[in-house]
């Protein structure tokens, strides 16, 4: 794929690394590729970062045809830059696209777009452990007409944001509220696709939980509201009586790359991991009998996030004395060690850009 590069004439500089936050600062450039049903992908270009112009009838503004991905570029102590399992994000983006009737892209082409862009923006990868350059590929339907059908035109974009450490004040357990009213998705719906619409529909519950002092909601399945699904933008795992249990991928759960990596690390370390249905009743019983030893969320942003408190109805349960569990900590250390290049990478997960 040929990429036309137009460099900015007014490059910016990186803010201090301890002031970065998440997703607020953007690099100097953005990448765009157009798609048309007859032409396929065309006009791949990198341009100075800035606003884009859309037709008021653009599909994405009316029917929500949008998907995205999230991955990071990490700076090693030796100064080099690397990605973590980028091919997994590319594959998932194509699976999301298929679900939303958006165009798929050749995996090698998307890989080339990603790596070319990150190499161009390499100075924007911050240096401190825990910080990273967050990469946000996204794709939206862009027909300039109101008819409802699979799109004939679409736009792929990639933007990047240097982001601070998720755990500036250290890795502290969070409080989570089990959501009993709203549901995120249903089987047969779009739960396994990383699409904007899933987030639009889940914000209300998140806001209600925040008002009560909880950082996220724990979703139950959309049919019976009986089985545990996932937490906000993270998958979820529980250590019950020595065994790690995580909800199986039923179609309504986002298949996280961090989830998959946690499972592989845990199995290598000799733990039993059960991917199965886990009912909220079983979880409550495990908390009441003291068999729930640890609970954590896992996703690219936080890597591993310990859960110290779970609220269900008007009951609040404390997990592991509200402290981070030993296995949660071990997983966090292993994954971040591989991602930031402090540990060996026996799984071959890392792709070195420099
Ligand atoms: C992105 C996402 C995750 C985590 O996936 P990772 O690949 O581990 O970052 C989990 N749940 C939802 C709803 C997500 O959008």
């Amino acid at each position: 794929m040929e990429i036309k590069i137009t460099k900015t004439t007014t490059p910016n500089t990186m803010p201090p690394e301890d002031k970065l936050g998440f997703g607020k600062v953007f690099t100097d450039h953005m990448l765009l590729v157009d798609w048309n049903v007859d032409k396929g992908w065309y006009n791949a270009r990198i341009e100075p970062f800035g606003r884009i112009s859309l037709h008021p009838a653009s599909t994405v503004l009316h029917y929500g045809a949008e998907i995205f991905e999230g991955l990071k570029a990490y700076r090693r102590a030796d100064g080099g830059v690397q990605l973590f399992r980028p091919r997994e994000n590319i594959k998932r983006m194509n699976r999301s696209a298929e679900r939303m009737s958006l165009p798929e892209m050749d995996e090698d082409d998307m890989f080339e777009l990603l790596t070319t862009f990150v190499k161009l923006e390499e100075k924007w990868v911050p240096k401190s452990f825990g910080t990273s350059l967050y990469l946000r590929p996204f794709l939206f339907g862009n027909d300039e007409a109101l008819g409802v059908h699979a799109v004939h035109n679409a736009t792929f974009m990639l933007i990047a944001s240097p982001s601070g450490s998720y755990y500036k004040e250290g890795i502290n357990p969070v409080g989570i509220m089990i959501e009993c009213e709203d549901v995120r998705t249903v089987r047969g719906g779009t739960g396994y696709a990383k699409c904007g619409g899933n987030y639009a529909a889940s914000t209300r519950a998140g806001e209600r939980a925040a008002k009560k002092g909880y950082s996220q909601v724990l979703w139950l399945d959309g049919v019976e509201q009986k089985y545990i699904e996932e937490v906000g933008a993270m998958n979820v795992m529980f250590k019950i009586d020595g065994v790690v249990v995580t909800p199986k991928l039923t179609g309504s759960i986002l298949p996280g790359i961090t989830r998959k990596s946690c499972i592989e690390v845990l199995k290598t370390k000799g733990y039993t991991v059960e991917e199965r249905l886990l009912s909220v009743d079983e979880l409550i019983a495990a908390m009441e009998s003291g068999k729930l030893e640890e609970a954590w969320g896992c996703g690219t942003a936080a890597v591993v996030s310990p859960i110290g408190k779970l609220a269900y109805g008007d009951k609040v349960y404390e997990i592991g004395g509200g402290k981070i569990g030993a296995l949660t900590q071990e997983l966090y250390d292993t994954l971040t060690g591989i991602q930031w290049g402090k540990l060996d990478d026996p799984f071959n997960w890392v792709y070195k850009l420099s």
Side-chain angles (χ1 to χ4, degrees):
M1 191 178 274
E2 197 196 316
I3 310 170
K4 185 170 176 259
I5 299 178
T6 311
K7 285 199 186 168
T8 180
T9 52
T10 53
N12 281 315
T13 49
M14 176 98 89
E17 292 192 1
D18 58 340
K19 299 258 165 5
L20 283 171
F22 174 74
K24 291 185 292 197
V25 178
F26 294 91
T27 64
D28 286 324
H29 301 93
M30 59 186 184
L31 181 148
L32 301 98
V33 195
D34 296 317
W35 178 87
N36 170 271
V37 67
D38 297 319
K39 284 200 262 189
W41 293 102
Y42 68 101
N43 197 15
R45 59 208 188 270
I46 293 174
E47 297 176 350
F49 187 90
R51 293 196 162 73
I52 57 169
S53 155
L54 290 179
H55 190 282
S58 175
T59 322
V60 65
L61 299 178
H62 300 270
Y63 308 124
E66 192 267 354
I67 58 166
F68 64 95
E69 271 302 325
L71 69 162
K72 292 169 169 176
Y74 307 84
R75 176 91 59 193
R76 297 190 305 274
D78 68 8
V81 167
Q82 59 192 31
L83 303 174
F84 182 73
R85 311 189 80 175
R87 295 258 173 194
E88 294 288 331
N89 293 90
I90 292 170
K91 287 197 179 92
R92 187 170 65 191
M93 186 127 187
N94 278 335
R95 289 197 304 269
S96 299
E98 195 278 331
R99 178 64 185 84
M100 308 299 280
S101 294
L102 285 166
E104 294 170 49
M105 191 190 285
D106 178 82
E107 282 179 26
D108 291 335
D109 284 346
M110 209 192 297
F111 189 75
E112 192 191 333
L113 294 175
L114 206 64
T115 50
T116 303
F117 186 74
V118 178
K119 278 182 193 155
L120 182 78
E121 300 292 58
E122 206 187 301
K123 72 163 194 190
W124 289 96
V125 184
K127 296 188 174 58
S128 342
F129 177 70
T131 66
S132 59
L133 180 63
Y134 184 80
L135 307 170
R136 169 55 60 86
F138 57 110
L139 164 61
F140 55 92
N142 201 5
D143 279 347
E144 302 186 342
L146 293 175
V148 179
H149 48 67
V151 294
H152 298 158
N153 295 276
T155 304
F156 173 95
M157 290 189 67
L158 172 59
I159 56 176
S161 170
S163 294
S165 172
Y166 196 88
Y167 295 110
K168 261 203 298 202
E169 275 100 51
I171 169 167
N172 289 317
V174 294
I176 303 278
M177 198 181 97
I178 300 178
E179 173 61 35
C180 302
E181 282 176 57
D182 290 358
V183 297
R184 196 182 79 96
T185 62
V186 292
R187 262 157 266 161
T190 56
Y192 70 87
K194 217 167 165 72
C195 65
N198 288 344
Y199 278 80
S202 57
T203 311
R204 182 173 79 172
E207 290 295 301
R208 281 197 301 240
K211 268 196 199 121
K212 292 186 182 160
Y214 294 94
S215 66
Q216 304 230 15
V217 302
L218 178 60
W219 296 105
L220 300 179
D221 76 276
V223 179
E224 298 175 80
Q225 291 186 264
K226 181 175 169 190
Y227 298 104
I228 306 290
E229 299 239 301
E230 60 179 306
V231 176
M234 288 189 283
N235 295 109
V236 67
M237 299 189 169
F238 303 94
K239 183 166 171 252
I240 304 174
D241 212 8
V243 170
V244 176
V245 181
T246 191
K248 71 171 182 180
L249 302 175
T250 51
S252 50
I253 296 174
L254 200 286
I257 295 158
T258 319
R259 173 188 182 278
K260 185 174 178 176
S261 306
C262 282
I263 293 171
E264 289 174 58
V265 166
L266 287 164
K267 287 189 172 165
T268 305
K269 288 182 187 286
Y271 287 93
T272 305
V273 183
E274 295 177 355
E275 294 178 65
R276 61 171 171 88
L277 293 179
L278 171 65
S279 72
V280 69
D281 292 342
E282 180 184 344
L283 184 66
I284 299 294
M287 289 195 284
E288 288 183 339
S289 67
K291 287 194 173 151
L292 180 70
E293 296 159 16
E294 298 183 34
W296 63 89
C298 51
T300 297
V303 191
V304 169
S305 176
I307 301 172
K309 214 163 61 169
L310 260 184
Y312 184 54
D314 44 23
K315 280 202 157 170
V316 182
Y317 299 89
E318 200 183 59
I319 302 166
K323 295 202 183 69
I324 181 168
L327 185 57
T328 311
Q329 182 75 55
E330 191 181 341
L331 259 183
Y332 177 81
D333 292 341
T334 306
L335 286 178
T336 56
I338 295 172
Q339 288 166 336
W340 273 270
K342 289 179 162 185
L343 294 179
D344 286 344
D345 173 25
F347 305 96
N348 243 324
W349 282 341
V350 155
Y351 178 80
K352 287 186 182 175
L353 283 162
S354 60

